[in-house]
Amino acid sequence: MRPNTPDLARRETILAAAAAPFALSAAAAAMFTTARRDDTLTVGVIGCGGRGTGAALNALEAGPDVKIVALGDAFADRLEGCRRGLAEAGGDRAKVAEANCFVGLDAYQAVCATDCDLVILATPPGFRPGHFAEAVRTGKHVFMEKPVAVDSPGIRLVIDSAKAAKDRKLCVVAGTQRRHERSYLQAMERLHRGDIGPLVAARCYWNQGGLWNVDPQDGRSDVENQMRNWLYHSWLSGDHIVEQHVHQLDVMNWGFRSHPKLVRGVGGRQARTDERKFGHIFDHFGLEYVYPGPEGFGDAFALSMCRQQDGTPNRVEEVFTGTQGIAQLAPGSVRLSGPKAWQFSGPDPNPYVEEHKNLQLAIRTGSGLNEGVQVAESTLTAIMGRMAAYTGQDVTWEQAMASEERLMPERIEFGPRPVAPVAVPGRTKFS
């Protein structure tokens, strides 16, 4: 394992959102078209925090012929914790050789340079576009956590990479696990065949208390402190509407079978005001999305609400209103009301495992499963909501897609990075 010394860390830089060439050698092209000769799918993990470790264990649970063979992270302590945890929980299939453990901001390149079949991308989301581009360039199948970018330039790179993956028959699955949840799949089948009539309105919520935070340490650079506390810095997380509420907004797009036309709304920073602990992101958003409505009904509207404030009620749910009924979707409770009332019953396998089962099956069968554009559009749906709340302006889909505003710097190194000023609606602008 390469040491994580300050000098090395400063030298190691990453072009986080720069386009990468997608030309593949003949050897690489042959490598990803089928599983390995011994029928074992080998996995590299990029981003060794809780979600990366969890996704690796989900992949092992999803298939007995899966093995974790490479790890990469910016920080040695996170990698070592993941390495130990995987070996303890996953046994021989998760014991990673030291030679295949890589530390630093360029660790993603080293993992992609190994001969693994599949990479799990689970770093803070700001890094996702560049990491996804490299994975596709090197011929890897991909599981990437949501969201997949924090700004519009990143979204455009993800879309380009997803299209390149499709051309090369690489499989891509995203961590929008409701798309792999049996109860949600059955509800959407009924929704789309018209069981509650044409959709005219919807609402979605992710309201909860606060989340974890990592206090800054004086011996660390600004960039390291922010990366370790990445939830609270929009260049890394996109703000909590992007990092977390993307799940509900993905379900909105899924239900309407479209992305929104426009969004307007508000947001603010009411409870989490200590910038040393909580950076600069908002702690609540309230938005109205406008979707194409059914013929003869005009536009459809979707209320979106997300909040992270201690001492407030929890609510995580998506609700669709049709002309003949209502669909209410929440983990553990999925039902339709109206003339064709229905409630899901029966086993509902863990969607965090199911998404890996579906990816592994797609790789083995060559089905070409590719969720890259889908999750990019859902991520942009969340980004445009943040843009509307930050600026106090209505934001159209076209404006969001074309925006040149970059939250994620093109070049990152471990050094000074002051906490960004709080966004002020009416004064904050986007390009």
Side-chain angles (χ1 to χ4, degrees), residues 296-375:
F297 287 86
D299 290 329
F301 295 86
L303 166 70
S304 157
M305 185 185 298
C306 58
R307 179 180 63 221
Q308 292 180 352
Q309 294 177 341
D310 286 334
T312 60
N314 292 342
R315 187 173 189 180
V316 180
E317 182 184 35
E318 304 90 29
V319 182
F320 292 92
T321 300
T323 59
Q324 300 173 39
I326 294 174
Q328 294 178 275
L329 292 79
S333 178
V334 175
R335 64 186 186 274
L336 275 61
S337 62
K340 297 184 179 180
W342 165 83
Q343 182 163 354
F344 176 80
S345 61
D348 202 4
N350 183 351
Y352 289 95
V353 176
E354 291 299 297
E355 59 193 358
H356 287 274
K357 285 185 178 180
N358 293 337
L359 175 57
Q360 292 167 20
L361 178 63
I363 294 170
R364 294 183 187 281
T365 61
S367 74
L369 175 62
N370 188 323
E371 298 178 347
V373 173
Q374 165 193 302
V375 72

Side-chain angles (χ1 to χ4, degrees), residues 46-338:
I46 300 170
C48 295
R51 185 75 285 269
T53 305
L57 291 172
N58 294 149
L60 292 173
E61 184 177 348
D65 297 323
V66 175
K67 187 175 182 180
I68 310 300
V69 298
L71 300 174
D73 196 272
F75 305 119
D77 60 314
R78 299 310 300 266
L79 187 146
E80 279 303 320
C82 173
R83 188 184 181 198
R84 288 194 302 271
L86 288 176
E88 291 170 3
D92 290 342
R93 292 194 294 145
K95 292 181 178 177
V96 181
E98 187 171 340
N100 272 2
C101 294
F102 308 99
V103 171
L105 288 170
D106 62 351
Y108 76 103
Q109 294 172 322
V111 172
C112 288
T114 67
D115 66 352
C116 64
D117 302 303
L118 161 69
V119 291
I120 292 172
L121 304 182
T123 61
F127 294 101
R128 194 88 71 247
H131 292 184
F132 183 37
E134 179 68 6
V136 173
R137 189 189 71 81
T138 54
K140 309 300 184 187
H141 301 286
V142 174
F143 174 84
M144 57 180 173
E145 264 304 336
K146 57 66 204 162
V148 294
V150 298
D151 53 30
S152 300
I155 290 294
R156 294 193 293 270
L157 178 55
V158 169
I159 290 173
D160 288 344
S161 300
K163 291 177 179 177
K166 182 177 181 180
D167 291 342
R168 290 155 176 74
K169 297 182 172 59
L170 291 169
C171 296
V172 180
V173 164
T176 45
Q177 72 272 3
R178 286 168 175 79
R179 300 261 186 170
H180 301 265
E181 190 164 352
R182 186 175 298 170
S183 56
Y184 272 69
L185 287 163
Q186 292 188 15
M188 281 296 174
E189 180 182 358
R190 287 166 169 76
L191 203 73
H192 290 157
R193 75 189 184 196
D195 282 13
I196 64 169
L199 302 184
V200 294
R203 58 191 191 272
C204 63
Y205 310 86
W206 192 314
N207 294 340
Q208 66 160 75
L211 292 174
W212 58 266
N213 70 283
V214 177
D215 289 339
Q217 294 187 12
D218 292 339
R220 295 172 176 167
S221 70
D222 291 343
V223 166
E224 180 172 354
N225 276 324
Q226 291 183 30
M227 286 178 63
R228 289 181 181 272
N229 198 34
W230 61 269
L231 279 178
Y232 303 98
H233 300 277
S234 60
W235 68 278
L236 289 163
S237 72
D239 209 311
H240 74 93
I241 185 175
V242 179
E243 197 283 323
Q244 185 179 69
H245 193 46
V246 66
H247 283 297
Q248 284 68 47
L249 296 173
D250 178 65
V251 173
M252 292 292 103
N253 287 0
W254 188 11
F256 282 112
R257 291 186 281 194
S258 175
H259 58 69
K261 298 163 56 176
L262 179 144
V263 62
R264 59 179 63 93
V266 297
R269 181 181 172 90
Q270 182 179 22
R272 298 187 303 206
T273 57
D274 183 347
E275 75 171 33
R276 279 182 58 81
K277 289 180 175 291
F278 304 117
H280 66 281
I281 69 168
F282 283 6
D283 55 27
H284 64 280
F285 290 85
L287 301 160
E288 178 187 77
Y289 284 91
V290 181
Y291 281 87
E295 186 175 352
F297 287 86
D299 290 329
F301 295 86
L303 166 70
S304 157
M305 185 185 298
C306 58
R307 179 180 63 221
Q308 292 180 352
Q309 294 177 341
D310 286 334
T312 60
N314 292 342
R315 187 173 189 180
V316 180
E317 182 184 35
E318 304 90 29
V319 182
F320 292 92
T321 300
T323 59
Q324 300 173 39
I326 294 174
Q328 294 178 275
L329 292 79
S333 178
V334 175
R335 64 186 186 274
L336 275 61
S337 62

Side-chain angles (χ1 to χ4, degrees), residues 27-42:
M31 180 183 70
F32 65 72
T33 55
T34 61
R36 304 174 71 85
R37 288 182 182 178
D38 62 2
D39 209 33
T40 297
L41 284 176
T42 55

